[in-house]
Amino acid sequence: MSNRNITIAAPYTDESVKQSNEITENIVKAVRINNQLTVNAINAAAENFRTLNRSIDSVTEFNTSAAKAWNSFLAAQQLQFLHKQ
């Protein structure tokens, strides 16, 4: 096999390099945007979990208070019933 010298006209080479650089820059920009979107989505999910945890804490506190109120009410009713006997 023989070595062949291939000559490419300079304007075509310059244009190819320019287009290649533009494509590379666009890919880098797209990856940066995608990374930022991913970070934003993770931050939003984390905030949603914090909100969910606060909601669960509030429901738990409400249920505990309601259970204590019912327990107090039933204990008072039981005492009245026992005193009447």
Side-chain angles (χ1 to χ4, degrees), residues 28-84:
V28 169
K29 287 178 185 177
V31 168
R32 283 186 184 145
I33 290 169
N34 187 46
N35 288 344
Q36 189 59 51
L37 289 173
T38 302
V39 168
N40 291 347
I42 290 170
N43 288 338
E47 183 59 33
N48 287 341
F49 278 117
R50 284 190 287 274
T51 302
L52 174 65
N53 284 334
R54 286 193 301 269
S55 297
I56 290 171
D57 290 344
S58 295
V59 168
T60 301
E61 183 180 343
F62 173 81
N63 286 341
T64 301
S65 296
K68 286 180 182 178
W70 271 108
N71 190 31
S72 176
F73 172 75
L74 293 176
Q77 293 300 315
Q78 188 177 23
L79 283 175
Q80 283 183 353
F81 178 75
L82 291 175
H83 281 62
K84 289 182 180 180

